Amino acid sequence: MSMQPAIPSLRTGLRSVGWVQRSVILASLFIVLTTGLLGLALHRGGHASNLTDIQNLFVLENPDLIPVDSWDPMIAALDWLHERPGENVYDGVFFKQHIKFQYPVTSLLPLEAMKALGVLNLVAFERVNLLFVLATAAGMAILVLEMAARLRLPGARDDRLTQVLLGGFGFVATLCFYPVLKAFSLGQVQVWLNAAFVFACIALLRDRRVLCGALLGASTLMKPQMSLFLAWAALRGDWRMAAGWAAIVVPGVALATLFYGFAPMIDYLDVLLFIGRHGESYHVNQTVNGLVNRLLHNGNNLEWSAEAFAPYHPAVHIATQVSGLAFVGFGLLWRRRDRGAERILAFVVAGICFTVGSPVAWVHHYGILLPAFALAFLMLLEPGLRRPAGAAALLAVAYFLAGNVLFWPVNALADTPLNVLQSYLLFATLMLLGLIPVLAGRHDRAAAALWGDLGTAGRGHAPTAEEAAPSVVALPRAAAETPVPPPAAEEPPLFVDLDGTLLRTDLLYESLFGLIKAQPWAALLVPVWLAGGKARLKAELARRVEIDPAGLIYNPAVLQRLEAERKSGRRLVLATAAHHRYADAIARHLGLFDQVLSSSDGLNLKSERKLEAIRAQVPSGIFDYMGNDEADYAVWRAARRGIAVDAAAGVVRHAATLCPLETIATPRRPRLLLILKALRLHQWLKNLLVFVPLVAGQKLGEVGPTLQAIAAFFAFGLCASSIYVLNDLLDLPADRRHPRKRRRPFAAGDLPLDLGLSLIPGLLLASLVLSLVALPPLFLAALATYAASSLFYNLFAKNRVIWDVMLLAGLYSLRVLGGATATAIVPSFWLLAFSMFLFLSLAMVKRYSEMDSMLKLGLGQAEGRGYVTADMPVLQSIGVSAGFLSVLVMALYINSPEVGRVYDQPQALWIICPLLLFWIGRVWLQTHRGLMHDDPVVFAARDKWSIAIGLVCGVALILGRA
């Protein structure tokens, strides 16, 4: 293509550019013409249009422009906090003055900065917003160029005209997009968030994940729903992004706490709960909440009220919660296994889902759609992509609906069932969300459009030449080894991956959990190390954590194959991204390898870098490679033959296109069953304790309290399962040496450790959402206390004698207290005293049974415990005494005046005391004989005698009430 500086005519230019350039020109003309023609038509009819808002961009002194939509409520809140320090700003401003200050107090920090600089006025605010709009347009131009280059569109990397057209397309599309323009015209801080999201997309594409997280963290300070990206990053094991997020949010929250106190952070939850229950019926609210409100005519959908929300309607509330969970779940989980630049697909979809899943999302909030529209358009131009029929037309319709203001014609239908058309922007968003997964699937199958892998070089100090080189260690065969005659036709060397291939685990996560277990406070430095790149993180972990090669889980099929290759005289090389300290130790332990290639302190030996190291050792370039995941594509592409070990079906399919492939598959149970096993659902039986206050308060069966207790049961279960997963990850070495716990999914290597790291925040988030939606705030405090106590137990108290059983007993009691807070039943002194002694006895049962198992194995002490087998008589005496004391408390309660206030026939309750004596004695006898399950509550829920005694006690309680 000619690159002469002369400017060609339009006709000549169109003939000379290729299909991509013509498509970009046509798309730009479509945007400009639809915006202009529709705007002129609306303007002649006296209606607002995009042209009005475009004019506002350039006429800053327009007297009709009053950009106070965010300004007024934020200034009102700021004045309140300065004039009434310590008072509830949300109660005073939001609930009493009915000023819609719907932001967290951290959003006021930029205003505090403007005030300190003496520029806290509307003009400065408007000019800052204008700069952010222009930055968004410039960022979209850059983003379009970046995505086009990643998709390898013809000319995107080396043709100046194509680059100008692509960049111009991104810039023009932004300045014609109604949600972006409306945010500026209203004076909305949303223009800041639009810019932050666009540049976060650019940072993600360039592998600046810390910067990406920092931009999302800054957005979170303004709009808390953006904190969902922390869970998004955690589910993908992207701790660099999470570290960047925390680096902004934690200081921001600390600074806001310094200015305003911590109470406003808690008070803000009342605002979120209120909005979630009501929402807005006004037609500009483009969410499921707004759609259902309008369908039910629940509030005025034509006029916006600055002081009121839609009335509460249970159908609207349920639809809002269900749709919100569905959108957020999809945003968090879709394409969770993508790596590198491919994550941009899931990233832009998550941004859309977190917006549309909110109870209230005004039109101006949908500026976040721009990167998704650009990505979908560019994917339609991708070489080799089989474009779905009608995809271009669908995308054009979706953009037309989303990018223009069309309320004038559809608002005429406000009082009819056809008012669903007022949600046209929501429908456009759903069209886009439906199109992107289809294009993503086609993209995955387009062999000509593979996205380049992004490096993981650190951002810290420049490594020395020695640090930047891979670790290469030769391991000569032992002299005593039986010599093997050379094969007739010498096989090329076989390079073997370690994590996930030879090992059924990942040493990075093994060392990370080892650090958290041994040095919890040092683990706080992990984000700092990760910001310097994975090589530095691995080096720091290797310096602090020792891993015993004999205690790891190896793939027996791979070991068998390597032993056979070793006997045939083949050269075996361990080529791994694991740190050289671990790789060298494992190689020496196994005695199978001639050489080790591994990560050094300054180089993460993965993907392309691993290939470079292999080629340096094989001058002929002929070798075979054994690996397991996407990171091995680069090596398989250059290998003579490949071996895929326990690889996912998609990895096997793609790897088979790179080289002749052999597979080694280990039979495993379905992953879903393994996950359910890791969650220890049988332990949820302990959560039946939340129903104890209902039984004691004689309210079991009442619909309201019973439903609240059921919700508390599931909230505790989800929270407890996250703690169980954490416990399994922290106790990996000990569990592998335990006769029964070694079969747990993570300890056995049946589940990847990074999945566990994703399950923990996911389960906690689900528990938190359920608590916020269905249970009173006091329950959340009880649940948080339970989670914090469990964390303290796992990190600090598990190996402390007496402390551990006291905490275990407390965790049982917290379930009872949680049930009380969920059902608004105040627990009596008698119930708390009874629980304390009974649960202490059961905690002693748990420890005694563990010591008994160790005694049978001939061990003097359990791994990770402070007790020795000689302590068993003491544990037994304390446990039996505490159990009988609980029966004494029960007897005193039955004989107290208080019992008459609840039970008409308290004498019927006396049968409970001998039954409890029998049960406690039986439990301890079973424990002494070695027949007790590790958890006595689970034992009681399964034991027929325990169930029978529980039923008799229940009948006694019913008779006592009668």
Side-chain angles (χ1 to χ4, degrees):
M1 180 180 295
S2 173
M3 296 298 292
Q4 298 297 324
I7 300 175
S9 68
L10 178 61
R11 184 175 178 181
T12 305
L14 285 174
R15 280 202 306 265
S16 64
V17 297
W19 181 72
V20 171
Q21 292 87 337
R22 289 196 300 272
S23 299
V24 173
I25 292 174
L26 289 174
S28 301
L29 288 174
F30 170 79
I31 292 171
V32 172
L33 290 176
T34 54
T35 300
L37 294 176
L38 180 63
L40 289 173
L42 291 173
H43 182 73
R44 287 186 176 183
H47 305 289
S49 71
N50 291 27
L51 296 182
T52 307
D53 295 298
I54 292 174
Q55 177 188 3
N56 291 336
L57 287 175
F58 303 103
V59 187
L60 294 179
E61 307 303 330
N62 186 348
D64 298 326
L65 177 60
I66 308 175
V68 294
D69 196 55
S70 291
W71 177 268
D72 275 356
M74 294 175 80
I75 288 295
L78 188 67
D79 291 342
W80 176 282
L81 287 166
H82 284 288
E83 294 169 5
R84 300 174 178 86
E87 296 188 25
N88 188 332
V89 61
Y90 294 103
D91 183 58
V93 174
F94 184 85
F95 288 107
K96 291 181 178 177
Q97 295 184 13
H98 303 292
I99 297 175
K100 293 186 176 180
F101 176 59
Q102 304 171 25
Y103 308 98
V105 291
T106 51
S107 66
L108 302 178
L109 295 176
L111 272 64
E112 292 282 6
M114 294 174 67
K115 184 176 181 180
L117 295 172
V119 293
L120 187 61
N121 56 72
L122 269 175
V123 174
F125 185 73
E126 184 182 19
R127 293 181 187 276
V128 169
N129 276 6
L130 176 61
L131 290 176
F132 273 109
V133 171
L134 296 177
T136 303
M140 277 300 301
I142 298 170
L143 181 60
V144 169
L145 286 169
E146 290 277 348
M147 291 192 295
R150 294 286 176 182
L151 287 165
R152 300 183 180 178
L153 299 191
R157 299 188 181 189
D158 52 13
D159 182 76
R160 182 62 57 86
L161 177 60
T162 304
Q163 293 170 346
V164 169
L165 289 173
L166 287 168
F169 167 74
F171 193 87
V172 169
T174 304
L175 295 185
C176 292
F177 197 61
Y178 179 68
V180 173
L181 300 171
K182 193 62 179 178
F184 174 78
S185 295
L186 291 173
Q188 260 282 335
V189 295
Q190 182 66 36
V191 298
W192 305 3
L193 305 181
N194 291 339
F197 188 73
V198 168
F199 281 96
C201 292
I202 296 171
L204 183 63
L205 278 175
R206 295 182 175 181
D207 199 34
R208 303 294 193 267
R209 297 199 298 278
V210 174
L211 176 59
C212 178
L215 290 167
L216 295 172
S219 300
T220 300
L221 296 179
M222 308 295 295
K223 200 170 187 178
Q225 72 195 55
M226 300 301 284
S227 62
L228 289 169
F229 273 107
L230 177 64
W232 186 91
L235 285 168
R236 288 157 178 78
D238 195 339
W239 304 113
R240 290 173 64 188
M241 182 184 292
W245 183 92
I248 298 298
V249 172
V250 172
V253 171
L255 195 59
T257 302
L258 181 64
F259 283 166
Y260 316 121
F262 190 71
M265 314 287 182
I266 305 300
D267 298 334
Y268 182 57
L269 295 176
D270 295 332
V271 175
L272 296 179
L273 291 173
F274 180 86
I275 295 174
R277 290 172 60 86
H278 294 265
E280 294 270 12
S281 182
Y282 185 47
H283 62 271
V284 181
N285 180 23
Q286 295 291 301
T287 63
V288 173
N289 175 282
L291 172 67
V292 179
N293 266 319
R294 291 188 285 273
L295 271 175
L296 298 175
H297 302 288
N298 188 48
N300 191 330
N301 64 13
L302 290 178
E303 296 180 4
W304 181 70
S305 171
E307 299 181 352
F309 289 82
Y312 175 76
H313 194 293
V316 175
H317 188 203
I318 293 172
T320 301
Q321 300 300 329
V322 172
S323 64
L325 290 173
F327 279 117
V328 170
F330 181 73
L332 288 174
L333 300 176
W334 186 61
R335 295 182 72 94
R336 189 175 66 83
R337 297 190 177 280
D338 280 357
R339 294 290 183 267
E342 290 282 357
R343 282 185 176 168
I344 190 66
L345 288 162
F347 188 79
V348 297
V349 166
I352 297 172
C353 288
F354 299 160
T355 298
V356 76
S358 303
V360 177
W362 303 118
V363 168
H364 53 265
H365 292 160
Y366 282 87
I368 206 165
L369 293 177
L370 267 176
F373 272 118
L375 180 59
F377 172 67
L378 295 174
M379 290 176 72
L380 285 174
L381 307 181
E382 185 179 8
L385 184 85
R386 292 181 57 195
R387 282 169 285 281
L394 182 66
L395 183 63
V397 171
Y399 181 87
F400 177 78
L401 294 175
N404 295 282
V405 53
L406 302 171
F407 286 121
W408 170 68
V410 297
N411 280 351
L413 307 170
D415 295 328
T416 73
L418 291 178
N419 64 18
V420 294
L421 297 178
Q422 290 179 298
S423 300
Y424 67 85
L425 178 52
L426 173 62
F427 297 138
T429 303
L430 296 178
M431 291 163 65
L432 183 60
L433 281 177
L435 180 60
I436 287 180
V438 174
L439 294 177
R442 301 292 178 97
H443 162 78
D444 291 340
R445 293 188 290 272
L450 291 175
W451 293 33
D453 293 334
L454 291 173
T456 55
R459 311 277 186 273
H461 70 284
T464 64
E466 182 179 355
E467 289 175 331
S471 173
V472 181
V473 177
L475 299 171
R477 297 177 183 249
E481 192 171 338
T482 304
V484 180
E490 186 175 352
E491 288 287 315
L494 173 62
F495 291 81
V496 182
D497 183 36
L498 184 59
D499 296 327
T501 303
L502 177 56
L503 288 177
R504 296 180 64 180
T505 184
D506 190 310
L507 290 176
L508 175 60
Y509 293 106
E510 291 269 350
S511 56
L512 175 61
F513 297 131
L515 179 71
I516 296 173
K517 178 75 172 179
Q519 305 174 44
W521 303 117
L524 298 176
L525 295 173
V526 167
V528 178
W529 301 334
L530 187 57
K534 274 195 173 181
R536 184 187 174 192
L537 173 63
K538 292 177 180 180
E540 297 290 350
L541 291 173
R543 290 190 189 103
R544 291 166 173 81
V545 180
E546 294 291 335
I547 293 181
D548 180 13
L552 296 172
I553 302 297
Y554 297 89
N555 190 313
V558 174
L559 283 178
Q560 185 178 3
R561 172 66 175 269
L562 294 181
E563 288 170 355
E565 297 284 3
R566 174 80 170 183
K567 290 178 180 178
S568 70
R570 190 173 191 181
R571 180 185 172 205
L572 302 179
V573 181
L574 182 63
T576 174
H579 193 267
H580 65 86
R581 295 190 183 188
Y582 298 145
D584 296 347
I586 290 171
R588 291 190 175 92
H589 169 71
L590 294 176
L592 292 172
F593 296 100
D594 300 287
Q595 193 177 25
V596 179
L597 304 179
S598 55
S599 295
S600 62
D601 290 353
L603 178 70
N604 186 36
L605 197 70
K606 193 172 185 178
S607 192
E608 297 286 353
R609 291 173 177 170
K610 183 185 288 189
L611 176 60
E612 293 172 5
I614 291 174
R615 282 175 169 164
Q617 302 302 316
V618 185
S620 66
I622 301 174
F623 63 92
D624 294 346
Y625 181 74
M626 182 184 292
N628 72 299
D629 63 16
E630 298 94 334
D632 299 314
Y633 287 162
V635 187
W636 274 323
R637 189 178 291 114
R640 184 194 67 156
R641 290 193 181 93
I643 303 172
V645 178
D646 289 337
V651 173
V652 171
R653 284 196 301 270
H654 183 64
T657 66
L658 303 176
C659 67
L661 192 71
E662 174 188 348
T663 60
I664 296 177
T666 305
R668 295 186 185 182
R669 297 171 64 188
R671 173 163 288 195
L672 179 59
L673 294 180
L674 292 170
I675 291 175
L676 294 177
K677 183 179 180 181
L679 299 186
R680 301 194 212 173
L681 296 184
H682 63 281
Q683 296 281 8
W684 283 31
L685 292 170
K686 291 187 285 189
N687 300 327
L688 293 172
L689 294 171
V690 301
F691 293 94
V692 169
L694 277 182
V695 176
Q698 299 293 324
K699 291 189 177 182
L700 185 63
E702 294 185 15
V703 176
T706 302
L707 289 177
Q708 294 288 87
I710 292 172
F713 173 88
F714 284 103
F716 262 109
L718 293 168
C719 182
S721 287
S722 71
I723 301 298
Y724 295 145
V725 172
L726 175 64
N727 176 73
D728 286 353
L729 296 176
L730 296 179
D731 286 350
L732 288 171
D735 286 353
R736 287 169 183 156
R737 289 189 284 269
H738 194 278
R740 187 172 52 80
K741 295 179 182 179
R742 66 186 180 189
R743 299 186 183 91
R744 288 178 175 174
F746 291 110
D750 293 328
L751 287 178
L753 302 186
D754 60 337
L755 175 62
L757 207 55
S758 302
L759 284 173
I760 294 170
L763 291 166
L764 282 176
L765 180 63
S767 177
L768 175 63
V769 170
L770 178 59
S771 303
L772 289 173
V773 170
L775 294 163
L778 196 57
F779 173 82
L780 188 59
L783 187 68
T785 304
Y786 172 84
S789 301
S790 298
L791 185 63
F792 180 81
Y793 169 78
N794 279 288
L795 293 179
F796 302 106
K798 186 178 282 190
N799 59 350
R800 308 283 182 178
V801 296
I802 304 302
W803 274 102
D804 60 337
V805 290
M806 295 294 289
L807 266 174
L808 276 177
L811 293 175
Y812 288 128
S813 298
L814 277 171
R815 288 178 168 89
V816 177
L817 288 174
T821 57
T823 55
I825 298 174
V826 180
S828 67
F829 157 79
W830 297 104
L831 178 59
L832 295 177
F834 174 78
S835 301
M836 178 179 66
F837 288 116
L838 179 63
F839 294 143
L840 178 60
S841 177
L842 298 182
M844 288 294 180
V845 166
K846 183 178 176 71
R847 284 292 173 263
Y848 186 95
S849 63
E850 290 178 353
M851 292 301 104
D852 185 63
S853 298
M854 295 301 104
L855 184 64
K856 291 176 180 177
L857 293 173
L859 302 176
Q861 184 175 8
E863 181 79 22
R865 298 287 186 266
Y867 301 97
V868 295
T869 52
D871 297 328
M872 292 172 63
V874 179
L875 297 177
Q876 187 177 41
S877 61
I878 296 174
V880 173
S881 301
F884 287 164
L885 281 173
S886 69
V887 181
L888 177 61
V889 171
M890 175 62 74
L892 293 173
Y893 168 67
I894 295 172
N895 197 48
S896 69
E898 287 88 342
V899 74
R901 300 172 189 167
V902 182
Y903 297 95
D904 297 325
Q905 305 292 333
Q907 59 271 19
L909 305 182
W910 279 108
I911 188 63
I912 295 176
C913 291
L915 289 175
L916 280 177
L917 286 171
F918 171 79
W919 183 75
I920 291 170
R922 184 172 181 275
V923 164
W924 272 103
L925 186 61
Q926 294 285 89
T927 305
H928 184 72
R929 292 177 175 178
L931 303 176
M932 175 56 61
H933 185 278
D934 278 354
D935 198 305
V937 175
V938 176
F939 166 82
R942 296 174 173 178
D943 177 54
K944 60 181 181 180
W945 281 99
S946 301
I947 295 171
I949 290 171
L951 291 175
V952 173
C953 290
V955 171
L957 292 173
I958 295 172
L959 293 175
R961 189 180 183 183

